[in-house]
Amino acid sequence: MTTEPRVLRAAEWDRWYGALELAFGGVSDSEGVRALWRSLTEYERSIGIWEGDDCVGTAGAFSFRLSVPGGALVPAAGVTMVSVAPTHRRRGVLTSMMRRQLDDVRELGEPLAVLTASEPAIYGRFGYGIASQQLSVEIETASARIELPDGVDEVRLRRVDPDDPAVRAACEALFAAEVAARPGMPARSPGWDRLPVVDSGLEKDGMSRLQCVLAERDGETVGYTHFRNKPEWSLSGPRGTIELRDVYAPDPVAYAALWHFLFGIDLTTTIRARNRPADDPFLHLVTDVRRCNVRLRDALHLRPVEVGAALEARTYRTPVDVVFEVEDSFCPWNEGRWRLIGDAKGASCERTRDTADLALSVRELGAAYLGGVTLAALARAGRVRELRPGALAEASTAFASDIAPWLPHGF
């Protein structure tokens, strides 16, 4: 076997994707999911390691534009489909693929690489830091309610076919508005509008088909939700569960109306949502947050591939002028001192010989990049060193975001 990756050929896709499924437990996706991922695969960005006809390592990337503080959409490699066959662990397969991939990302001129991790401990050694979290809830709807703001009566809720092209277009327009407002969200290019409505097969397990409800005001779509209903019964009566896939509404009144609807669905007592923003407004609408069983976990892992270009691509909440001493053994072109000068209008970041103000690795820079993790918090964990008094507070405040970064779906 050679650990040298090569670009995936279209005729190899089934074996390549089958190797991925085996590495993740051997459960096959539905035909709908497989068809979607096949259609979205960027073959020139997908690599495999082969032993004869057997694929023993897989990795790919999507060409994303990621929202960052300030609202810009920055080119980013969405690292995906990473697996190593159980028979070939500890043989350099993963390291070889990560090396090839980051070299390719740099050559393409993308300043960022992002991923979601099946095991978070794996990717830190390749320079990825945890840049956003996701909130999961299991809400006891019989014990809590939604406090409604004024104007809810003006919102009309309408059940629609989630796969109707006009409905998908309306929902995608609202999603795009959210991308512009919140860091960490990838803009969805053509074909990705299928992701919220594809039938995974695994999710059904006694559940209803996917349902969609639009929130409308004066004939305009101002919000939507996708969900499934799983009916269940006990001796004491109905105990159905709503499995919430997503809910969007930039309009606060429409957002409250959609949650109120979900709380009131007949024959249900529980709402489960696996991926909501860490600062979801829902937390301030519900009367008893303890009945929501809130949990946080890591979501988007981010790595600056080109430190200077990455730091120049976003804006900063307050003026900042700071010199970073960056350690990056896996991508040594990033190592050294970088001077960042920026504010809410823009930024510059160039190499310098000036004395360093803060010392950190590229992993910490990635964790703080979207503004959801503060440099001050990382310093308290011993992962950022302040070399000039006052520099930490200055940089930490400047990097922070008023809106928590969020990755709304996997890839």
Side-chain angles (χ1 to χ4, degrees):
M1 185 195 78
T2 173
T3 58
E4 182 64 30
R6 64 171 172 81
V7 173
L8 179 67
R9 303 167 186 142
E12 298 170 330
W13 190 90
D14 282 318
R15 281 182 292 158
W16 181 82
Y17 194 80
L20 175 74
E21 290 177 322
L22 283 172
F24 278 84
V27 179
S28 296
D29 285 326
S30 71
E31 285 305 311
V33 169
R34 289 177 68 90
L36 176 64
W37 292 125
R38 184 194 292 268
S39 70
L40 294 174
T41 296
E42 298 180 35
Y43 286 92
E44 70 281 4
R45 305 201 67 173
S46 303
I47 54 178
I49 291 179
W50 300 78
E51 187 174 63
D53 291 333
D54 296 328
C55 184
V56 299
T58 67
F62 295 117
S63 302
F64 283 154
R65 292 178 303 133
L66 190 78
S67 60
V68 302
L73 294 175
V74 178
V79 176
T80 186
M81 311 292 185
V82 179
S83 74
V84 177
T87 52
H88 288 69
R89 308 274 187 200
R90 306 292 185 267
R91 294 170 64 176
V93 173
L94 179 62
T95 299
S96 176
M97 293 190 297
M98 293 292 100
R99 171 77 280 137
R100 166 69 176 272
Q101 197 169 59
L102 286 171
D103 288 343
D104 289 348
V105 172
R106 186 190 187 200
E107 186 174 337
L108 288 169
E110 293 167 326
L112 303 174
V114 294
L115 56 81
T116 61
S118 56
E119 297 178 85
I122 292 175
Y123 292 98
R125 69 182 191 268
F126 302 117
Y128 289 87
I130 298 172
S132 76
Q133 294 182 307
Q134 66 185 44
L135 180 150
S136 65
V137 294
E138 184 167 324
I139 306 163
E140 304 166 24
T141 54
S143 304
R145 61 183 178 82
I146 295 293
E147 292 185 331
L148 297 177
D150 293 338
V152 168
D153 291 342
E154 299 172 7
V155 178
R156 177 197 179 203
L157 300 181
R158 182 165 65 94
R159 192 183 297 271
V160 295
D161 177 0
D163 209 19
D164 182 301
V167 170
R168 291 211 315 267
C171 293
E172 285 302 295
L174 289 171
F175 180 87
E178 183 81 358
V179 170
R182 185 182 290 276
M185 296 181 68
R188 290 207 283 242
S189 53
W192 284 85
D193 64 328
R194 294 285 308 149
L195 187 63
V197 299
V198 70
D199 179 9
S200 71
L202 298 177
E203 289 181 308
K204 296 189 76 171
D205 187 27
M207 297 180 192
S208 72
R209 61 181 175 82
L210 186 69
Q211 301 178 57
C212 180
V213 168
L214 299 182
E216 299 172 329
R217 183 190 289 110
D218 300 327
E220 178 185 357
T221 301
V222 292
Y224 69 91
T225 181
H226 290 116
F227 64 94
R228 296 180 187 274
N229 189 336
K230 184 175 183 179
E232 294 180 288
W233 299 81
S234 70
L235 292 176
S236 59
R239 300 188 59 82
T241 298
I242 298 298
E243 293 282 351
L244 182 63
R245 179 171 286 191
D246 53 32
V247 55
Y248 291 100
D251 181 302
V253 175
Y255 194 70
L258 286 166
W259 274 104
H260 180 65
F261 159 75
L262 293 165
F263 267 62
I265 294 176
D266 288 340
L267 309 181
T268 65
T269 60
T270 303
I271 298 174
R272 291 195 186 109
R274 299 179 183 178
N275 183 11
R276 301 301 305 154
D279 62 349
D280 197 323
F282 157 79
L283 297 171
H284 308 291
L285 291 170
V286 69
T287 56
D288 189 348
V289 73
R290 294 184 188 178
R291 300 292 185 176
C292 298
N293 302 294
V294 176
R295 297 182 62 186
L296 282 174
R297 56 161 286 179
D298 65 288
L300 191 70
H301 295 229
L302 184 148
R303 169 198 235 290
V305 180
E306 292 282 3
V307 164
L311 293 181
E312 287 182 348
R314 56 156 292 178
T315 62
Y316 297 86
R317 188 163 67 173
T318 56
V320 61
D321 184 347
V322 66
V323 175
F324 291 106
E325 180 80 46
V326 178
E327 182 275 321
D328 189 353
S329 59
F330 201 69
C331 295
W333 57 81
N334 285 323
E335 292 204 317
R337 296 175 189 171
W338 297 86
R339 183 166 197 161
L340 170 67
I341 302 174
D343 56 24
K345 296 180 180 179
S348 66
C349 187
E350 298 179 349
R351 287 199 172 274
T352 182
R353 294 184 178 180
D354 294 344
T355 302
D357 301 318
L358 296 172
L360 73 176
S361 81
V362 73
R363 179 180 174 185
E364 283 67 59
L365 207 54
Y369 183 77
L370 295 176
V373 178
T374 68
L375 290 167
L378 294 168
R380 289 194 293 272
R383 292 172 56 184
V384 175
R385 289 187 297 120
E386 183 178 50
L387 306 177
R388 170 175 64 82
L392 179 62
E394 175 189 345
S396 189
T397 301
F399 269 71
S401 171
D402 290 332
I403 302 173
W406 179 48
L407 177 68
H409 56 73
F411 52 85

